[in-house]
Amino acid sequence: MKIAVVLGTRPEIIKMAPIIDEIVNRDIELCLIHTGQHYDKEMSDNFFRDLEIPAPDYNINVGSGSHGKQTGLMMRGIEEVLMDEKPDIVLVQGDTNAVLAGAIVASKLHIAVGHVEAGLRSFDMTMPEEVNRRVCDVTSSMYFIPTEESAINLLAEGYSRKNLIITGNTVVDACFRHLEIAKKRGFEEESLADLDIDNMDNILTLTMHRAENVDDKTRVTNIISALKELSDMNIIFPIHPRTKKTLQDFGLFDELNSLDHIHIIKPIGYLDFLQLTSKSTLILTDSGGLQEEAITLDVPALTLRYNTERPETVTAGGNILVGSDKDVILENANKILNDEEFAQKMKNAVNPYGQGDAAEKTVDAIQEFYDGGLLNIEAPEDIMTSFERKMALINEDVTVKDFEEKNNALIHMVFDGEKMRFPSDELNLKEMCVTYDEFQ
Ligand code: UD1
Ligand code: UDP
């Protein structure tokens, strides 16, 4: 079996690293394709180093540009590689332009697409990431899904349960594997060593790069005015290149950089960043990955967004959405800083993203699909069967698998009282309501 992995940005490298490890350790053939969307050493090479993954076999070097140009160049480059390499499956991760490009190209070449971190929805189509993840899901054959909630998003859109695999999120694998290594190694980045982070209290780690925040002068100005008032905190701000550029363009960078309690540093490596976040009192971010890492590392998070495709972190109690509203940011930050009971409750929020075995579950499932011939994407030769869409209230003890076998059916949705459940094979359906297709 040959697995191709397409990645292009910092979070994809981090979240695919545990899967790449798993592929290499099982001696499965790997073809690693970097789109080159992130190209600075601090945004790319340092993560291959810190996470100890092999260098890419191909780099398409697309660089920065508009969405159309970037995606188009990626598609051209990925297509050439895939036509040559002919992998059994192409894995893409998350919601970047690499996901869009990789998924469209592979599916048109009739190569199976596996979407890692599938099923997330912000329900905000103004976000480029929402477009990317939805389009990718339409073209995928296997879905590696972090939580039951995200799996239910896909069921609600009509995807077959047979292709949905709840794995947890590989961000937990990466965190667990690397935090102890990081702590033993200590800080490497000079800017952090100079700040003596080990002996610093009241650390607030800040990251922001989301287009809807940093490209909008009003929003970014509001966020900065809140930061100025958080002068009891030591704000460490490893700045994303996009953010540095827009703050400079808006004429906001120099003033922010001159404040004593705000330390703007360049983006830092993963091992340094893990140490920094795990020592933080509070994380303020608009990053997707950081919302997940915060709850994994038991650090309260305030998210600088009006919606999130990670609502589990909010319902679990570890994350609060504060938008870019100065008063809401300050009110919640001060509550976390001054109300110990409140802060403790946030820290104790249960991590919804699994036990750190997402990569293992992902590669297990790929192997199973491969062995069962399910990665072969071929035009069907069976004449299409007709089916009826039905609903039933189940009175007897019967599992999903048994119900489907008995009725020649495929279950879509399961309602346990008011709560929707994911129809895993072994779920007992007694007293639950189901919708299903019954084949003739
Ligand atoms: C991209 C992803 C976003 C993800 C983020 C992770 C898309 C649509 N966006 O956003 O989902 O959360 O990566 O960080 O795929 N730049 C550099 N050096 C680099 C990379 C970028 O200077 O190595 C600067 C360039 O000015 C560039 C800007 O950052 O124009 C934005 O980069 P781009 O890759 O287009 O989007 P991100 O904001 O990084
Ligand atoms: N990160 C890092 N160094 C930094 C900032 C972030 O290693 O200076 C890591 C962080 O641990 C997380 C990932 O980068 O795993 C998040 O990436 P980003 O915020 O760029 O993208 P998103 O997750 O929003 O797509």
Side-chain angles (χ1 to χ4, degrees), residues 9-12 14-15 38 42-43 47 95-96 129 171 207-210 238-240 265-274 277 285-293 305 310:
T9 65
R10 170 170 73 184
E12 294 166 88
I14 295 168
K15 288 177 169 177
H38 283 178
E42 294 81 24
M43 298 299 287
F47 294 93
D95 50 25
T96 66
E129 290 84 2
V171 82
T207 78
M208 56 173 171
H209 70 280
R210 212 47 66 202
I239 196 164
H240 189 289
I265 56 176
K266 61 183 185 193
I268 55 180
Y270 186 60
L271 299 184
D272 280 335
F273 195 73
L274 272 182
T277 44
T285 192
D286 61 13
S287 158
L290 208 40
Q291 291 173 65
E292 296 154 351
E293 282 168 348
R305 289 181 46 190
R310 277 114 176 143

mmCIF file of all heavy atoms in Angstrom, residues 9-12 14-15 38 42-43 47 95-96 129 171 207-210 238-240 265-274 277 285-293 305 310, ligand 2:
data_model
loop_
_atom_site.group_PDB
_atom_site.id
_atom_site.type_symbol
_atom_site.label_atom_id
_atom_site.label_comp_id
_atom_site.label_asym_id
_atom_site.label_seq_id
_atom_site.Cartn_x
_atom_site.Cartn_y
_atom_site.Cartn_z
ATOM 1 N N THR A 9 0.953 23.823 5.425
ATOM 2 C CA THR A 9 1.056 24.888 6.431
ATOM 3 C C THR A 9 1.466 24.310 7.788
ATOM 4 O O THR A 9 1.376 23.096 8.011
ATOM 5 C CB THR A 9 -0.300 25.614 6.620
ATOM 6 O OG1 THR A 9 -1.235 24.682 7.166
ATOM 7 C CG2 THR A 9 -0.836 26.174 5.312
ATOM 8 N N ARG A 10 1.860 25.217 8.659
ATOM 9 C CA ARG A 10 2.300 24.821 10.018
ATOM 10 C C ARG A 10 1.357 23.820 10.705
ATOM 11 O O ARG A 10 1.821 22.752 11.132
ATOM 12 C CB ARG A 10 2.453 26.113 10.836
ATOM 13 C CG ARG A 10 2.658 25.909 12.321
ATOM 14 C CD ARG A 10 3.045 27.203 12.990
ATOM 15 N NE ARG A 10 1.955 28.149 13.108
ATOM 16 C CZ ARG A 10 2.077 29.386 13.601
ATOM 17 N NH1 ARG A 10 3.243 29.823 13.996
ATOM 18 N NH2 ARG A 10 1.039 30.190 13.690
ATOM 19 N N PRO A 11 0.049 24.129 10.829
ATOM 20 C CA PRO A 11 -0.781 23.176 11.595
ATOM 21 C C PRO A 11 -0.913 21.820 10.917
ATOM 22 O O PRO A 11 -1.080 20.799 11.594
ATOM 23 C CB PRO A 11 -2.141 23.881 11.681
ATOM 24 C CG PRO A 11 -2.139 24.885 10.582
ATOM 25 C CD PRO A 11 -0.719 25.317 10.421
ATOM 26 N N GLU A 12 -0.834 21.803 9.580
ATOM 27 C CA GLU A 12 -0.931 20.499 8.908
ATOM 28 C C GLU A 12 0.292 19.646 9.194
ATOM 29 O O GLU A 12 0.185 18.424 9.348
ATOM 30 C CB GLU A 12 -1.053 20.698 7.381
ATOM 31 C CG GLU A 12 -2.333 21.365 6.952
ATOM 32 C CD GLU A 12 -2.237 21.826 5.507
ATOM 33 O OE1 GLU A 12 -2.559 21.040 4.628
ATOM 34 O OE2 GLU A 12 -1.811 22.976 5.267
ATOM 35 N N ILE A 14 2.114 19.759 11.902
ATOM 36 C CA ILE A 14 2.010 19.292 13.296
ATOM 37 C C ILE A 14 1.001 18.147 13.415
ATOM 38 O O ILE A 14 1.281 17.109 14.013
ATOM 39 C CB ILE A 14 1.609 20.458 14.222
ATOM 40 C CG1 ILE A 14 2.715 21.521 14.240
ATOM 41 C CG2 ILE A 14 1.281 19.968 15.634
ATOM 42 C CD1 ILE A 14 2.334 22.838 14.888
ATOM 43 N N LYS A 15 -0.169 18.332 12.802
ATOM 44 C CA LYS A 15 -1.233 17.341 13.003
ATOM 45 C C LYS A 15 -1.060 16.086 12.147
ATOM 46 O O LYS A 15 -1.623 15.038 12.467
ATOM 47 C CB LYS A 15 -2.597 17.984 12.751
ATOM 48 C CG LYS A 15 -2.983 18.956 13.871
ATOM 49 C CD LYS A 15 -4.278 19.635 13.563
ATOM 50 C CE LYS A 15 -4.809 20.388 14.757
ATOM 51 N NZ LYS A 15 -6.048 21.120 14.420
ATOM 52 N N HIS A 38 3.290 27.491 3.225
ATOM 53 C CA HIS A 38 4.164 28.094 4.240
ATOM 54 C C HIS A 38 5.595 27.724 3.875
ATOM 55 O O HIS A 38 5.890 26.559 3.601
ATOM 56 C CB HIS A 38 3.796 27.608 5.646
ATOM 57 C CG HIS A 38 2.558 28.283 6.174
ATOM 58 N ND1 HIS A 38 2.002 27.995 7.397
ATOM 59 C CD2 HIS A 38 1.773 29.266 5.643
ATOM 60 C CE1 HIS A 38 0.932 28.758 7.596
ATOM 61 N NE2 HIS A 38 0.764 29.532 6.548
ATOM 62 N N GLU A 42 10.551 29.359 10.001
ATOM 63 C CA GLU A 42 9.779 29.367 11.266
ATOM 64 C C GLU A 42 8.373 28.810 11.086
ATOM 65 O O GLU A 42 7.686 28.550 12.064
ATOM 66 C CB GLU A 42 9.646 30.798 11.816
ATOM 67 C CG GLU A 42 10.914 31.453 12.272
ATOM 68 C CD GLU A 42 11.712 32.035 11.115
ATOM 69 O OE1 GLU A 42 11.114 32.331 10.063
ATOM 70 O OE2 GLU A 42 12.943 32.153 11.257
ATOM 71 N N MET A 43 7.899 28.726 9.831
ATOM 72 C CA MET A 43 6.531 28.250 9.596
ATOM 73 C C MET A 43 6.512 26.838 9.001
ATOM 74 O O MET A 43 5.446 26.242 8.853
ATOM 75 C CB MET A 43 5.787 29.191 8.630
ATOM 76 C CG MET A 43 5.614 30.598 9.128
ATOM 77 S SD MET A 43 4.648 30.700 10.651
ATOM 78 C CE MET A 43 2.992 30.356 10.073
ATOM 79 N N PHE A 47 9.331 22.675 11.941
ATOM 80 C CA PHE A 47 8.379 21.667 12.426
ATOM 81 C C PHE A 47 8.768 20.269 11.969
ATOM 82 O O PHE A 47 8.563 19.306 12.699
ATOM 83 C CB PHE A 47 6.949 22.052 12.007
ATOM 84 C CG PHE A 47 6.532 23.314 12.701
ATOM 85 C CD1 PHE A 47 6.713 24.554 12.103
ATOM 86 C CD2 PHE A 47 6.071 23.278 14.001
ATOM 87 C CE1 PHE A 47 6.410 25.723 12.767
ATOM 88 C CE2 PHE A 47 5.764 24.441 14.680
ATOM 89 C CZ PHE A 47 5.932 25.667 14.067
ATOM 90 N N ASP A 95 -8.358 22.192 6.873
ATOM 91 C CA ASP A 95 -9.220 23.086 6.098
ATOM 92 C C ASP A 95 -8.449 24.148 5.296
ATOM 93 O O ASP A 95 -8.988 25.193 4.962
ATOM 94 C CB ASP A 95 -10.189 23.790 7.051
ATOM 95 C CG ASP A 95 -9.470 24.418 8.241
ATOM 96 O OD1 ASP A 95 -8.281 24.733 8.112
ATOM 97 O OD2 ASP A 95 -10.102 24.600 9.304
ATOM 98 N N THR A 96 -7.189 23.878 4.997
ATOM 99 C CA THR A 96 -6.415 24.880 4.253
ATOM 100 C C THR A 96 -6.620 24.692 2.743
ATOM 101 O O THR A 96 -7.272 23.746 2.312
ATOM 102 C CB THR A 96 -4.909 24.738 4.552
ATOM 103 O OG1 THR A 96 -4.500 23.482 4.016
ATOM 104 C CG2 THR A 96 -4.610 24.777 6.033
ATOM 105 N N GLU A 129 -11.776 28.640 5.141
ATOM 106 C CA GLU A 129 -11.598 27.289 5.701
ATOM 107 C C GLU A 129 -12.903 26.489 5.643
ATOM 108 O O GLU A 129 -12.872 25.276 5.460
ATOM 109 C CB GLU A 129 -11.110 27.374 7.151
ATOM 110 C CG GLU A 129 -9.684 27.867 7.329
ATOM 111 C CD GLU A 129 -9.548 29.394 7.339
ATOM 112 O OE1 GLU A 129 -10.584 30.087 7.248
ATOM 113 O OE2 GLU A 129 -8.406 29.891 7.432
ATOM 114 N N VAL A 171 -3.881 16.121 17.195
ATOM 115 C CA VAL A 171 -3.213 17.174 17.955
ATOM 116 C C VAL A 171 -2.900 16.658 19.374
ATOM 117 O O VAL A 171 -1.888 17.032 19.972
ATOM 118 C CB VAL A 171 -4.096 18.455 17.991
ATOM 119 C CG1 VAL A 171 -5.172 18.409 19.063
ATOM 120 C CG2 VAL A 171 -3.270 19.706 18.137
ATOM 121 N N THR A 207 -1.987 34.249 20.125
ATOM 122 C CA THR A 207 -1.716 34.084 18.687
ATOM 123 C C THR A 207 -2.946 34.562 17.942
ATOM 124 O O THR A 207 -4.068 34.389 18.410
ATOM 125 C CB THR A 207 -1.421 32.625 18.241
ATOM 126 O OG1 THR A 207 -2.639 31.901 18.146
ATOM 127 C CG2 THR A 207 -0.443 31.914 19.140
ATOM 128 N N MET A 208 -2.730 35.219 16.827
ATOM 129 C CA MET A 208 -3.854 35.510 15.916
ATOM 130 C C MET A 208 -3.335 35.644 14.491
ATOM 131 O O MET A 208 -2.266 36.172 14.260
ATOM 132 C CB MET A 208 -4.657 36.734 16.355
ATOM 133 C CG MET A 208 -3.890 37.993 16.534
ATOM 134 S SD MET A 208 -5.052 39.352 16.843
ATOM 135 C CE MET A 208 -3.907 40.640 17.284
ATOM 136 N N HIS A 209 -4.123 35.094 13.581
ATOM 137 C CA HIS A 209 -3.757 35.167 12.172
ATOM 138 C C HIS A 209 -4.964 35.078 11.264
ATOM 139 O O HIS A 209 -4.843 35.192 10.052
ATOM 140 C CB HIS A 209 -2.808 34.013 11.818
ATOM 141 C CG HIS A 209 -3.487 32.682 11.832
ATOM 142 N ND1 HIS A 209 -3.733 31.988 12.975
ATOM 143 C CD2 HIS A 209 -4.010 31.930 10.822
ATOM 144 C CE1 HIS A 209 -4.359 30.857 12.688
ATOM 145 N NE2 HIS A 209 -4.543 30.798 11.393
ATOM 146 N N ARG A 210 -6.137 34.825 11.845
ATOM 147 C CA ARG A 210 -7.343 34.598 11.056
ATOM 148 C C ARG A 210 -7.642 35.835 10.204
ATOM 149 O O ARG A 210 -7.672 36.966 10.726
ATOM 150 C CB ARG A 210 -8.435 34.371 12.076
ATOM 151 C CG ARG A 210 -9.589 33.491 11.864
ATOM 152 C CD ARG A 210 -9.484 32.154 11.343
ATOM 153 N NE ARG A 210 -8.801 31.160 12.127
ATOM 154 C CZ ARG A 210 -8.285 30.070 11.592
ATOM 155 N NH1 ARG A 210 -8.368 29.860 10.303
ATOM 156 N NH2 ARG A 210 -7.687 29.185 12.332
ATOM 157 N N PRO A 238 3.927 35.236 19.760
ATOM 158 C CA PRO A 238 4.700 34.787 18.589
ATOM 159 C C PRO A 238 3.870 35.140 17.352
ATOM 160 O O PRO A 238 2.839 34.531 17.106
ATOM 161 C CB PRO A 238 4.797 33.260 18.780
ATOM 162 C CG PRO A 238 4.202 32.965 20.125
ATOM 163 C CD PRO A 238 3.315 34.107 20.484
ATOM 164 N N ILE A 239 4.346 36.079 16.618
ATOM 165 C CA ILE A 239 3.471 36.688 15.602
ATOM 166 C C ILE A 239 3.541 35.952 14.263
ATOM 167 O O ILE A 239 4.631 35.670 13.737
ATOM 168 C CB ILE A 239 3.783 38.202 15.467
ATOM 169 C CG1 ILE A 239 2.663 38.930 14.734
ATOM 170 C CG2 ILE A 239 5.143 38.447 14.801
ATOM 171 C CD1 ILE A 239 2.707 40.453 14.899
ATOM 172 N N HIS A 240 2.387 35.619 13.735
ATOM 173 C CA HIS A 240 2.250 34.979 12.413
ATOM 174 C C HIS A 240 2.660 36.010 11.354
ATOM 175 O O HIS A 240 2.352 37.194 11.493
ATOM 176 C CB HIS A 240 0.780 34.582 12.261
ATOM 177 C CG HIS A 240 0.472 33.720 11.080
ATOM 178 N ND1 HIS A 240 0.499 34.200 9.783
ATOM 179 C CD2 HIS A 240 0.098 32.419 10.981
ATOM 180 C CE1 HIS A 240 0.167 33.219 8.952
ATOM 181 N NE2 HIS A 240 -0.082 32.131 9.651
ATOM 182 N N ILE A 265 7.356 38.236 19.451
ATOM 183 C CA ILE A 265 8.516 37.452 18.998
ATOM 184 C C ILE A 265 8.145 36.764 17.680
ATOM 185 O O ILE A 265 6.967 36.717 17.317
ATOM 186 C CB ILE A 265 8.945 36.394 20.047
ATOM 187 C CG1 ILE A 265 7.760 35.461 20.386
ATOM 188 C CG2 ILE A 265 9.480 37.060 21.307
ATOM 189 C CD1 ILE A 265 8.124 34.338 21.336
ATOM 190 N N LYS A 266 9.141 36.260 16.973
ATOM 191 C CA LYS A 266 8.815 35.564 15.723
ATOM 192 C C LYS A 266 8.150 34.215 16.051
ATOM 193 O O LYS A 266 8.241 33.750 17.205
ATOM 194 C CB LYS A 266 10.051 35.424 14.848
ATOM 195 C CG LYS A 266 11.148 34.632 15.464
ATOM 196 C CD LYS A 266 12.354 34.614 14.546
ATOM 197 C CE LYS A 266 13.380 33.714 15.163
ATOM 198 N NZ LYS A 266 14.679 33.730 14.666
ATOM 199 N N PRO A 267 7.493 33.579 15.083
ATOM 200 C CA PRO A 267 6.863 32.285 15.361
ATOM 201 C C PRO A 267 7.912 31.309 15.891
ATOM 202 O O PRO A 267 9.051 31.310 15.416
ATOM 203 C CB PRO A 267 6.364 31.819 13.986
ATOM 204 C CG PRO A 267 6.328 33.034 13.139
ATOM 205 C CD PRO A 267 7.354 33.982 13.678
ATOM 206 N N ILE A 268 7.533 30.514 16.880
ATOM 207 C CA ILE A 268 8.524 29.641 17.515
ATOM 208 C C ILE A 268 8.252 28.177 17.185
ATOM 209 O O ILE A 268 7.148 27.822 16.785
ATOM 210 C CB ILE A 268 8.567 29.868 19.051
ATOM 211 C CG1 ILE A 268 7.176 29.701 19.664
ATOM 212 C CG2 ILE A 268 9.169 31.221 19.356
ATOM 213 C CD1 ILE A 268 7.148 29.904 21.169
ATOM 214 N N GLY A 269 9.265 27.368 17.382
ATOM 215 C CA GLY A 269 9.162 25.933 17.084
ATOM 216 C C GLY A 269 8.142 25.253 18.001
ATOM 217 O O GLY A 269 7.739 25.799 19.026
ATOM 218 N N TYR A 270 7.768 24.040 17.613
ATOM 219 C CA TYR A 270 6.694 23.340 18.336
ATOM 220 C C TYR A 270 7.080 23.011 19.778
ATOM 221 O O TYR A 270 6.269 23.161 20.693
ATOM 222 C CB TYR A 270 6.341 22.068 17.564
ATOM 223 C CG TYR A 270 5.157 21.340 18.120
ATOM 224 C CD1 TYR A 270 3.913 21.956 18.198
ATOM 225 C CD2 TYR A 270 5.272 20.033 18.571
ATOM 226 C CE1 TYR A 270 2.819 21.280 18.706
ATOM 227 C CE2 TYR A 270 4.174 19.344 19.073
ATOM 228 C CZ TYR A 270 2.948 19.986 19.146
ATOM 229 O OH TYR A 270 1.869 19.321 19.653
ATOM 230 N N LEU A 271 8.319 22.590 19.987
ATOM 231 C CA LEU A 271 8.729 22.197 21.341
ATOM 232 C C LEU A 271 8.764 23.416 22.263
ATOM 233 O O LEU A 271 8.366 23.340 23.434
ATOM 234 C CB LEU A 271 10.092 21.496 21.329
ATOM 235 C CG LEU A 271 10.164 20.196 20.525
ATOM 236 C CD1 LEU A 271 11.533 19.547 20.680
ATOM 237 C CD2 LEU A 271 9.088 19.206 20.922
ATOM 238 N N ASP A 272 9.215 24.553 21.744
ATOM 239 C CA ASP A 272 9.188 25.781 22.540
ATOM 240 C C ASP A 272 7.750 26.223 22.800
ATOM 241 O O ASP A 272 7.400 26.653 23.892
ATOM 242 C CB ASP A 272 9.935 26.911 21.802
ATOM 243 C CG ASP A 272 11.444 26.785 21.964
ATOM 244 O OD1 ASP A 272 11.874 26.174 22.961
ATOM 245 O OD2 ASP A 272 12.177 27.283 21.102
ATOM 246 N N PHE A 273 6.927 26.101 21.764
ATOM 247 C CA PHE A 273 5.550 26.588 21.903
ATOM 248 C C PHE A 273 4.765 25.753 22.918
ATOM 249 O O PHE A 273 3.993 26.288 23.720
ATOM 250 C CB PHE A 273 4.852 26.579 20.538
ATOM 251 C CG PHE A 273 3.585 27.379 20.546
ATOM 252 C CD1 PHE A 273 3.618 28.758 20.576
ATOM 253 C CD2 PHE A 273 2.349 26.755 20.546
ATOM 254 C CE1 PHE A 273 2.451 29.509 20.611
ATOM 255 C CE2 PHE A 273 1.178 27.493 20.584
ATOM 256 C CZ PHE A 273 1.234 28.870 20.608
ATOM 257 N N LEU A 274 4.992 24.435 22.912
ATOM 258 C CA LEU A 274 4.301 23.567 23.876
ATOM 259 C C LEU A 274 4.661 23.953 25.307
ATOM 260 O O LEU A 274 3.808 23.981 26.197
ATOM 261 C CB LEU A 274 4.711 22.107 23.657
ATOM 262 C CG LEU A 274 3.928 21.291 22.652
ATOM 263 C CD1 LEU A 274 4.470 19.867 22.645
ATOM 264 C CD2 LEU A 274 2.437 21.280 22.945
ATOM 265 N N THR A 277 2.906 27.374 26.110
ATOM 266 C CA THR A 277 1.457 27.300 26.355
ATOM 267 C C THR A 277 1.175 26.540 27.651
ATOM 268 O O THR A 277 0.292 26.928 28.419
ATOM 269 C CB THR A 277 0.711 26.616 25.190
ATOM 270 O OG1 THR A 277 1.445 25.467 24.780
ATOM 271 C CG2 THR A 277 0.542 27.541 24.031
ATOM 272 N N THR A 285 -6.577 33.519 21.567
ATOM 273 C CA THR A 285 -6.210 33.029 20.231
ATOM 274 C C THR A 285 -7.374 33.053 19.261
ATOM 275 O O THR A 285 -8.540 33.073 19.693
ATOM 276 C CB THR A 285 -5.683 31.575 20.341
ATOM 277 O OG1 THR A 285 -5.075 31.203 19.120
ATOM 278 C CG2 THR A 285 -6.773 30.573 20.671
ATOM 279 N N ASP A 286 -7.056 33.069 17.979
ATOM 280 C CA ASP A 286 -8.093 32.764 16.985
ATOM 281 C C ASP A 286 -7.700 31.508 16.199
ATOM 282 O O ASP A 286 -8.294 31.183 15.180
ATOM 283 C CB ASP A 286 -8.367 33.954 16.059
ATOM 284 C CG ASP A 286 -7.151 34.391 15.252
ATOM 285 O OD1 ASP A 286 -6.140 33.651 15.206
ATOM 286 O OD2 ASP A 286 -7.209 35.490 14.662
ATOM 287 N N SER A 287 -6.696 30.794 16.701
ATOM 288 C CA SER A 287 -6.203 29.596 16.025
ATOM 289 C C SER A 287 -7.119 28.407 16.301
ATOM 290 O O SER A 287 -7.637 28.255 17.409
ATOM 291 C CB SER A 287 -4.795 29.288 16.560
ATOM 292 O OG SER A 287 -4.466 27.936 16.358
ATOM 293 N N GLY A 288 -7.274 27.557 15.287
ATOM 294 C CA GLY A 288 -8.057 26.344 15.488
ATOM 295 C C GLY A 288 -7.307 25.362 16.369
ATOM 296 O O GLY A 288 -7.823 24.890 17.393
ATOM 297 N N GLY A 289 -6.057 25.084 15.993
ATOM 298 C CA GLY A 289 -5.271 24.094 16.722
ATOM 299 C C GLY A 289 -5.066 24.473 18.176
ATOM 300 O O GLY A 289 -5.075 23.610 19.063
ATOM 301 N N LEU A 290 -4.921 25.759 18.401
ATOM 302 C CA LEU A 290 -4.647 26.182 19.781
ATOM 303 C C LEU A 290 -5.873 26.026 20.692
ATOM 304 O O LEU A 290 -5.734 25.768 21.893
ATOM 305 C CB LEU A 290 -4.144 27.628 19.766
ATOM 306 C CG LEU A 290 -3.216 28.049 20.886
ATOM 307 C CD1 LEU A 290 -2.215 26.986 21.259
ATOM 308 C CD2 LEU A 290 -2.485 29.325 20.499
ATOM 309 N N GLN A 291 -7.058 26.148 20.136
ATOM 310 C CA GLN A 291 -8.258 25.885 20.943
ATOM 311 C C GLN A 291 -8.229 24.442 21.439
ATOM 312 O O GLN A 291 -8.595 24.143 22.570
ATOM 313 C CB GLN A 291 -9.526 26.109 20.132
ATOM 314 C CG GLN A 291 -9.803 27.551 19.770
ATOM 315 C CD GLN A 291 -10.995 27.659 18.823
ATOM 316 O OE1 GLN A 291 -12.120 27.341 19.196
ATOM 317 N NE2 GLN A 291 -10.747 28.100 17.607
ATOM 318 N N GLU A 292 -7.761 23.546 20.557
ATOM 319 C CA GLU A 292 -7.700 22.124 20.936
ATOM 320 C C GLU A 292 -6.555 21.866 21.912
ATOM 321 O O GLU A 292 -6.706 21.096 22.870
ATOM 322 C CB GLU A 292 -7.481 21.270 19.680
ATOM 323 C CG GLU A 292 -8.619 21.341 18.685
ATOM 324 C CD GLU A 292 -8.194 21.061 17.248
ATOM 325 O OE1 GLU A 292 -6.989 20.972 16.962
ATOM 326 O OE2 GLU A 292 -9.090 20.942 16.404
ATOM 327 N N GLU A 293 -5.410 22.511 21.657
ATOM 328 C CA GLU A 293 -4.261 22.284 22.543
ATOM 329 C C GLU A 293 -4.534 22.837 23.941
ATOM 330 O O GLU A 293 -4.103 22.254 24.937
ATOM 331 C CB GLU A 293 -3.012 22.953 21.962
ATOM 332 C CG GLU A 293 -2.426 22.136 20.837
ATOM 333 C CD GLU A 293 -1.370 22.873 20.031
ATOM 334 O OE1 GLU A 293 -1.232 24.110 20.198
ATOM 335 O OE2 GLU A 293 -0.700 22.234 19.225
ATOM 336 N N ARG A 305 -13.037 34.914 18.282
ATOM 337 C CA ARG A 305 -13.889 34.653 17.119
ATOM 338 C C ARG A 305 -15.349 34.697 17.548
ATOM 339 O O ARG A 305 -15.657 34.591 18.735
ATOM 340 C CB ARG A 305 -13.553 33.281 16.510
ATOM 341 C CG ARG A 305 -12.209 33.273 15.820
ATOM 342 C CD ARG A 305 -11.883 31.941 15.208
ATOM 343 N NE ARG A 305 -13.001 31.395 14.469
ATOM 344 C CZ ARG A 305 -13.025 30.150 14.005
ATOM 345 N NH1 ARG A 305 -12.008 29.346 14.226
ATOM 346 N NH2 ARG A 305 -14.062 29.719 13.326
ATOM 347 N N ARG A 310 -15.046 24.262 16.611
ATOM 348 C CA ARG A 310 -14.651 23.393 17.730
ATOM 349 C C ARG A 310 -15.573 23.656 18.925
ATOM 350 O O ARG A 310 -15.112 24.003 20.024
ATOM 351 C CB ARG A 310 -13.203 23.673 18.134
ATOM 352 C CG ARG A 310 -12.198 22.945 17.277
ATOM 353 C CD ARG A 310 -11.367 23.884 16.459
ATOM 354 N NE ARG A 310 -10.347 23.173 15.717
ATOM 355 C CZ ARG A 310 -9.963 23.509 14.486
ATOM 356 N NH1 ARG A 310 -10.514 24.531 13.857
ATOM 357 N NH2 ARG A 310 -9.027 22.822 13.873
HETATM 358 N N1 UDP B 2 2.358 26.977 16.949
HETATM 359 C C1 UDP B 2 3.741 26.860 17.091
HETATM 360 N N2 UDP B 2 4.477 28.009 17.195
HETATM 361 C C2 UDP B 2 3.916 29.252 17.193
HETATM 362 C C3 UDP B 2 2.503 29.347 17.083
HETATM 363 C C4 UDP B 2 1.758 28.181 16.948
HETATM 364 O O1 UDP B 2 4.280 25.748 17.122
HETATM 365 O O2 UDP B 2 4.636 30.246 17.289
HETATM 366 C C5 UDP B 2 1.570 25.741 16.744
HETATM 367 C C6 UDP B 2 0.530 25.434 17.775
HETATM 368 O O3 UDP B 2 1.065 24.590 18.765
HETATM 369 C C7 UDP B 2 -0.573 24.755 16.991
HETATM 370 C C8 UDP B 2 -0.398 25.238 15.573
HETATM 371 O O4 UDP B 2 0.849 25.919 15.543
HETATM 372 O O5 UDP B 2 -0.409 23.349 16.977
HETATM 373 C C9 UDP B 2 -1.516 26.161 15.190
HETATM 374 O O6 UDP B 2 -1.245 26.727 13.958
HETATM 375 P P1 UDP B 2 -1.998 28.003 13.428
HETATM 376 O O7 UDP B 2 -2.551 28.775 14.573
HETATM 377 O O8 UDP B 2 -1.069 28.678 12.500
HETATM 378 O O9 UDP B 2 -3.142 27.395 12.517
HETATM 379 P P2 UDP B 2 -4.643 26.875 12.798
HETATM 380 O O10 UDP B 2 -4.579 25.810 13.825
HETATM 381 O O11 UDP B 2 -5.460 28.050 13.199
HETATM 382 O O12 UDP B 2 -5.079 26.380 11.469
#
